[in-house]
Amino acid sequence: MNQAEKEQYLREYALLKNEGKPFFPYAVAKDALMAVIVMIVIMLLSLFYGAELGPAVNPTTTTYVPRPDWYFYFLFELLRVMRNAPKLTDMATLGVPTLCMLGLFLLPLYDRSPERLITRRPVALAAGLATITCMAYLTYTGANTGSPNQVVLPVPPGLTQSQRSTFLAGEIIVGESGCEGCHQIGSYGNNGPGPKLTHIGTILRPGAIASTLKDPIAPMPSFASLAQHSPKEFKQLVEFLSMLQ
Amino acid sequence: MALTGSRGSAPPPSREAEPMTKTELATEASLTVVDWIDERAQLSQGLRWMMFRKVPKGINWAYTLGSATMIAFLNQAVTGVFLAMYYRPSVTGGAYASIRYINDDVPLGQFVHGMHKWGASVMIVLIFLHMGRVFFFGAYKYPRELTWIIGVVLLILTLVMGFTGYLLPFDQRSYWATIVGVNINNTAPFIGPYLGDFLRAGPEFGATTLSRFYAIHMMLVPGLMAALIGLHLYLVAKLGISAPPWLKAQEPEVAIEKVEV
Ligand code: HEM
């Protein structure tokens, strides 16, 4: 907006404001009614859905699927989608949201046209609708897909039928155990603080893997209780890791 | 005594001398208190400025979304204070047990906890709707750019509240989701590792992590938000709420002449 357009706007606005009503009580009445509605909705949600508490923290669990609150689904989903392009993972998880935030932040600085009516702002309309669609889509798929900690690796060739099923079971156990919080496996998980496990089978023998899991060096949590409570799953986990050649 | 003259022939008592009713007394007293405070703080002028400013023609329900967001924020603040009375940020079972206690034993505990939990979702919905209103109405344009920028900071802080609050019950879901979340921050370019370390309060996820999340969630961010909401509202009142973009002023000749002088 140039100086003339700014002045034109202020002039026009002063007129509209002059024709308007005082904030109190006209706008306040609407705001108050809205406030009552908001509070009733919150109370009803609390009454009907409560605030149930899950099981207590157990860092060595094998059955837990991490889930954020729904309004972060889109972020988790973005993380999952971008796994397919591993080089881009950093960009996707924080880069893309950071860029979006920056775009939002600076909006009034780069959109300087004086036009305010949305039907005469085709670019803004398209961008706005596209953003809403993307967020809604990511939230929806995020709500309906599995854990972002899923691991789906190509099954190595030449496995027997039972090795195959161990491999698939191992993928699930690794995903559920939160190993990816600290380890990278293939294109999945975080690179650090733990070492990559992509080829762990060539580095450690199965016995060494098992003892690492039972008696790890901090900060890695111990999975001894898994070995104790569900030895079958523990064995599958160790065999799976040994197959990562 | 001497000035009131003789008793016998006194005129009927004047109105002022009549004993005041209780309500009159209360009104009088509170007016005195209000006057006393106002003489010193001089708030009434600001209040009058805030309340009796004009809002332009055509303001509709979409314009209530900002104040609705603020109500949700206030709900979080009040219910949060009650939760903080019982909550203990201790990883060795204390946090989880204290939330269990709130849910199971404190009268209305689960209800207040639920209002805090669902209030967060409601606030997120409202803040996005409010932002959408501002965006599609072009209300972020001159002269309200700064209002928008403060708004984006408020949006980020609201999301930070959601993220840090999620860990506090310290159940399985919150623990694992937060580990993943912190690790996502960890992978950010440049500042990532520092951000991760800051959030975890060290290289590993442990006791201090929870205290840190708690401090961020109940002191740092709410304080910042309250201050920024104040600034946001000041700007809204100062600049005036934008008129709906489809309205054109009916330009009375007088007004035109007046401005163009
Ligand atoms: C804690 C969060 C927020 C609160 C409590 C809040 C509160 C308010 C209130 C009460 C108004 C008055 C007009 C209305 O209700 O529409 C307003 C206006 C405004 N808000 Fe917010 N807001 C918040 C977040 C945001 C966000 C996230 C943005 C955008 C990024 C934003 C941008 C604006 C702008 C530009 C106006 C001026 C609109 C106009 O004059 O028509 N606000 N805000």
Side-chain angles (χ1 to χ4, degrees):
Chain A
M1 280 174 102
N2 57 34
Q3 198 56 34
E5 285 165 334
K6 284 182 182 172
E7 275 165 23
Q8 161 68 23
Y9 174 77
L10 291 180
R11 207 176 302 145
E12 176 107 356
Y13 178 70
L15 289 176
L16 280 170
K17 196 167 166 174
N18 230 2
E19 295 171 38
K21 296 175 179 163
F23 178 67
F24 180 87
Y26 297 99
V28 169
K30 272 187 188 157
D31 284 349
L33 187 56
M34 189 65 176
V36 171
I37 295 173
V38 168
M39 288 312 294
I40 289 179
V41 167
I42 292 176
M43 287 185 198
L44 287 181
L45 283 170
S46 174
L47 279 179
F48 284 114
Y49 297 105
E52 96 290 0
L53 201 54
V57 167
N58 171 9
T60 62
T61 178
T62 58
T63 53
Y64 206 74
V65 178
R67 233 53 197 117
D69 232 345
W70 64 269
Y71 43 84
F72 287 123
Y73 279 173
F74 74 97
L75 210 59
F76 267 46
E77 183 62 12
L78 204 59
L79 173 66
R80 216 181 60 82
V81 171
M82 291 312 234
R83 281 280 160 68
N84 300 330
K87 289 243 170 57
L88 290 177
T89 305
D90 291 2
M91 282 304 292
T93 49
L94 263 181
V96 171
T98 308
L99 286 182
C100 291
M101 275 298 170
L102 215 63
L104 209 58
F105 196 74
L106 299 178
L107 173 66
L109 304 185
Y110 58 80
D111 176 14
R112 289 155 169 270
S113 87
E115 186 54 60
R116 280 158 212 256
L117 202 57
I118 190 66
T119 46
R120 296 218 205 102
R121 292 156 57 207
V123 179
L125 182 62
L129 291 182
T131 309
I132 292 174
T133 316
C134 283
M135 300 252 313
Y137 176 74
L138 285 175
T139 302
Y140 174 76
T141 48
N144 287 299
T145 45
S147 146
N149 275 13
Q150 240 169 19
V151 187
V152 184
L153 297 173
V155 180
L159 295 186
T160 67
Q161 192 57 37
S162 80
Q163 279 174 322
R164 241 182 101 83
S165 63
T166 306
F167 189 89
L168 296 178
E171 283 183 339
I172 295 174
I173 299 169
V174 164
E176 287 172 343
S177 306
C179 314
E180 288 162 278
C182 308
H183 293 284
Q184 190 172 344
I185 307 177
S187 58
Y188 295 86
N190 296 302
N191 189 6
K196 283 187 187 165
L197 298 180
T198 316
H199 305 294
I200 189 68
T202 59
I203 300 168
L204 294 180
R205 330 203 107 259
I209 293 179
S211 55
T212 305
L213 289 175
K214 283 186 202 158
D215 189 16
I217 301 174
M220 175 161 154
S222 165
F223 290 86
S225 70
L226 175 65
Q228 210 176 355
H229 295 306
S230 24
K232 182 161 164 263
E233 287 191 343
F234 187 80
K235 197 160 152 278
Q236 285 172 328
L237 176 61
V238 173
E239 279 176 24
F240 164 72
L241 291 171
S242 329
M243 280 186 246
L244 296 176
Q245 302 278 342
Chain B
M1 275 327 218
L3 289 175
T4 48
S6 65
R7 260 149 209 261
S9 61
S14 66
R15 247 191 76 73
E16 290 90 74
E18 249 174 64
M20 287 201 280
T21 64
K22 276 206 181 115
T23 26
E24 274 174 344
L25 266 176
T27 322
E28 189 78 0
S30 55
L31 276 182
T32 315
V33 172
V34 168
D35 281 347
W36 188 90
I37 294 176
D38 201 48
E39 197 181 334
R40 282 150 188 85
Q42 298 184 338
L43 292 172
S44 69
Q45 208 187 344
L47 203 61
R48 218 172 294 136
W49 172 76
M50 188 83 189
M51 298 311 271
F52 295 108
R53 68 196 151 99
K54 275 199 169 172
V55 292
K57 220 164 78 164
I59 298 292
N60 58 30
W61 284 98
Y63 285 77
T64 61
L65 290 166
S67 73
T69 313
M70 188 171 66
I71 292 297
F73 176 77
L74 292 178
N75 169 67
Q76 294 307 95
V78 172
T79 52
V81 166
F82 283 106
L83 294 179
M85 289 175 184
Y86 297 95
Y87 181 74
R88 270 174 292 135
S90 141
V91 277
T92 49
Y96 185 77
S98 65
I99 298 275
R100 259 266 110 81
Y101 179 74
I102 292 175
N103 269 3
D104 298 347
D105 296 320
V106 178
L108 287 182
Q110 162 121 233
F111 181 59
V112 172
H113 182 191
M115 279 176 73
H116 195 75
K117 178 181 164 160
W118 290 103
S121 289
V122 168
M123 180 165 175
I124 297 268
V125 170
L126 287 173
I127 200 172
F128 274 111
L129 289 176
H130 171 56
M131 192 171 82
R133 193 287 281 177
V134 169
F135 178 80
F136 286 112
F137 281 32
Y140 55 86
K141 300 191 173 200
Y142 175 84
R144 301 185 181 80
E145 296 96 329
L146 191 56
T147 321
W148 169 273
I149 288 173
I150 293 174
V152 176
V153 178
L154 281 169
L155 175 69
I156 294 171
L157 290 177
T158 307
L159 291 174
V160 170
M161 290 299 273
F163 177 66
T164 51
Y166 203 60
L167 177 67
L168 300 183
F170 222 62
D171 59 6
Q172 286 283 61
R173 181 174 40 190
S174 64
Y175 177 79
W176 288 107
T178 308
I179 289 207
V180 175
V182 170
N183 281 316
I184 291 176
N185 285 319
N186 226 3
T187 56
F190 311 119
I191 55 161
Y194 302 100
L195 202 60
D197 277 354
F198 171 72
L199 286 173
R200 277 188 302 263
E204 50 182 300
F205 202 93
T208 35
T209 313
L210 185 59
S211 322
R212 183 151 297 193
F213 270 59
Y214 185 51
I216 295 175
H217 184 79
M218 74 162 283
M219 320 253 306
L220 179 64
V221 178
L224 271 176
M225 284 184 76
L228 287 175
I229 290 176
L231 204 56
H232 194 74
L233 293 188
Y234 169 74
L235 285 174
V236 168
K238 176 87 187 160
L239 299 170
I241 292 179
S242 67
W246 53 85
L247 277 191
K248 289 273 161 276
Q250 326 158 328
E251 316 212 339
E253 283 81 22
V254 219
I256 294 285
E257 271 168 23
K258 226 159 109 193
V259 217
E260 285 187 350
V261 163

